[in-house]
Structures are given as structure tokens and as C-alpha cells.
Amino acid sequence: MQEKKTMKVILADRDGFYLQRLKRCLERKGDMIVLGMTDRGPALLDMAREQQPDVILLDMLLSERDGFWVLENLKREGISCVCIMISAIDSNKLVRQAITLGADYYMAKPIQGELLTERIHQLLENETENRREEKVQEAVETVFRDLEGEVSVLLSRMGISASIKGYHFIRSAVVMAVEDQEALVGITKGLYPDIAKRYKTTASKVERAIRHAIESAWKKNGAAVYFEVAGYLPSDKPTNGQFIAVLSEYFRLHEERPKKIS
């Protein structure tokens, strides 16, 4: 059975008695541990830097520097944790400012212990899920950046220059077709308009530019590289659809790639 992670918490409030009450409340069930407590803004920021907590619970009113200053600096330094602002001042304006500066939640005093622990668990679950999604998205985007680079190299070998529009249209078409095989079904009504929208042009101009790029390649090294990719050489230069289909199938078969997240 997988052991549950103990959540690390830092507390900041000018009321030392209140801090002790919060500490007892959070540590009661054994799934949270309070790493430190302070009444000063700069000290809280130092603790966050050194101890990398999962949660910071801070009052808006702190000594030396207030909670807003702490939130600004946490955000500036990229210190990632759940921040819950607490205050005896219940003001919509202050709530908006706290959220704008990076607070994940705002609670007005007095705080019910059960509600506080429930909110902490909810916020941490959301944070974990968001980070997981961000990592997946980053991995997928990296894969497709690599694919674009590979397509670029192949087009350059064919003699299709990056200075012409057809180069960029073909590259986009191949990446889209690798991502979704259905993209090549109804190419004039689907793929061309999608590329046109991306480059702020028309579908007919996309079609002509791709056709021109293939014609240009066939006068250079295009036929030889196409034979290398397709395994056969057509009697005439391929159509736009054939050309994109062959290149996309080549990249799809040579490397497993995840579907891109929209």
C-alpha cells in the first residue's frame, strides 16, 4: 500500500497564540507538518526559499513586510506552492488583490479547522493535477518541435527553400497529418483552410504554394529524396495530397508520437 505524502506547511501571523492553534489544528490528523512559523514577511520569504513548502498560510498583516509583498516575491522568484491568504478584514477589493498577486485562496477569520484542512487538500490536489498536465503538455510540445525540425531537414534536402511560403505550408501539413491521419481526408476542405487560417491567407494560395514548392523540388533533389522516403518513384511528380501523405506516413512509421493535446 502506497504511503501518503506528508504535506509541508509554513504559517505566518502576528498573533503567536493563533499560530499555535493553527499548528495543532493542521497536525491533528498526521498528514500535515508545520515546518515553521513567523510573524514577519521577510522571514516567511526566507523560509519558503529554504524549505520549499507545499502550502503557505499567511495573514495579510505581517511585521516589516505585509502578505501582499510576500506574494509578489514568491511569484517573482518562481517559488511554487499553494498560498492561502487569511485575514480578519473581509473585503472584496483585498480578495481580488490577493488573488491577482498569486494567492490560491482567501479565507476570512475566524477560520473553521475542518474547512481549512478540507480546502488545503482540495487546493493541493488541483495543484498536483495542473502540474501533471503541464508536464504532459511540455513533453508533447517538445516532441512536435522535434518533428518540425525533422521535416525541415527533409524539405531542405529536397531543395525546398525556407524562404518560400510552400515550405512552411508543407511542414505544417505534414505535422498536422502525423498528429491526425484524418487530416488528409478532404484535403481541400480541411487541411488547406486550417493552414490558411494559421498563416492568415487563403486555402487556394496554400494549395498553389505547396504545388509550386513540389515542382521546384522535382527540378532539384526532390525526386531522389522522395524515392528514399516512399520506397518508389512515381512517373510524374506527386500531387500535393500524395506528397504530404508520403512524408507524414514516413515520420509516423519511423517514430511513435503521442497525439497533440488541443
Side-chain angles (χ1 to χ4, degrees), residues 11-227:
L11 307 177
D13 195 290
R14 292 193 302 177
D15 186 338
F17 178 69
Y18 187 70
L19 284 175
Q20 291 297 334
R21 285 177 55 199
L22 276 178
K23 183 177 187 296
R24 287 195 297 271
C25 171
L26 296 176
E27 293 184 337
R28 186 177 299 137
K29 292 184 179 180
D31 59 352
M32 297 187 202
I33 181 171
V34 175
L35 300 176
M37 301 184 292
T38 184
D39 63 350
R40 300 184 299 113
L44 173 57
L45 186 60
D46 288 340
M47 286 182 185
R49 290 189 188 113
E50 294 169 5
Q51 303 187 42
Q52 299 294 309
D54 300 304
V55 182
I56 292 178
L57 205 67
L58 69 161
D59 197 315
M60 182 182 65
L61 301 175
L62 299 173
S63 301
E64 296 183 31
R65 297 285 186 172
D66 64 18
F68 291 150
W69 178 86
V70 175
L71 290 175
E72 286 178 328
N73 282 275
L74 288 172
K75 188 175 182 180
R76 183 180 298 116
E77 296 186 22
I79 299 173
S80 179
C81 62
V82 168
C83 292
I84 301 176
M85 176 76 79
I86 56 176
S87 178
I89 306 171
D90 191 6
S91 161
N92 288 337
K93 182 178 180 181
L94 293 178
V95 172
R96 285 195 297 271
Q97 187 172 354
I99 299 301
T100 300
L101 292 174
D104 296 281
Y105 201 71
Y106 187 101
M107 300 184 78
K109 294 179 179 178
I111 300 172
Q112 296 179 3
E114 287 296 322
L115 179 61
L116 175 59
T117 55
E118 182 182 337
R119 290 291 178 267
I120 288 175
H121 281 95
Q122 289 173 346
L123 290 166
L124 278 174
E125 286 173 6
N126 291 339
E127 182 78 3
T128 301
E129 183 62 29
N130 289 340
R131 287 179 185 174
R132 187 182 299 115
E133 289 178 359
E134 286 173 2
K135 286 181 180 179
V136 171
Q137 184 66 25
E138 287 174 4
V140 171
E141 288 175 355
T142 299
V143 167
F144 278 84
R145 281 198 299 271
D146 291 346
L147 173 58
E148 282 192 345
E150 292 171 16
V151 176
S152 297
V153 170
L154 189 63
L155 294 179
S156 296
R157 287 182 58 209
M158 286 183 164
I160 301 177
S161 170
S163 62
I164 64 173
K165 291 181 179 179
Y167 169 96
H168 302 281
F169 296 163
I170 293 172
R171 185 176 64 183
S172 293
V174 171
V175 171
M176 290 165 71
V178 170
E179 176 188 347
D180 180 12
Q181 297 181 47
E182 298 298 318
L184 291 172
V185 177
I187 186 171
T188 56
K189 293 182 179 179
L191 196 62
Y192 291 160
D194 287 344
I195 295 172
K197 185 177 180 181
R198 179 179 299 181
Y199 289 94
K200 297 180 181 179
T201 184
T202 64
S204 60
K205 288 182 179 179
V206 169
E207 187 277 330
R208 286 198 300 271
I210 291 176
R211 179 157 38 86
H212 172 72
I214 296 172
E215 289 172 353
S216 175
W218 232 244
K219 296 174 182 177
K220 301 174 184 176
N221 199 41
V225 178
Y226 187 89
F227 175 76

Side-chain angles (χ1 to χ4, degrees), residues 243-254:
F243 187 83
I244 294 167
V246 164
L247 265 61
S248 62
E249 188 65 12
Y250 170 79
F251 287 110
R252 187 183 298 114
L253 292 175
H254 278 71

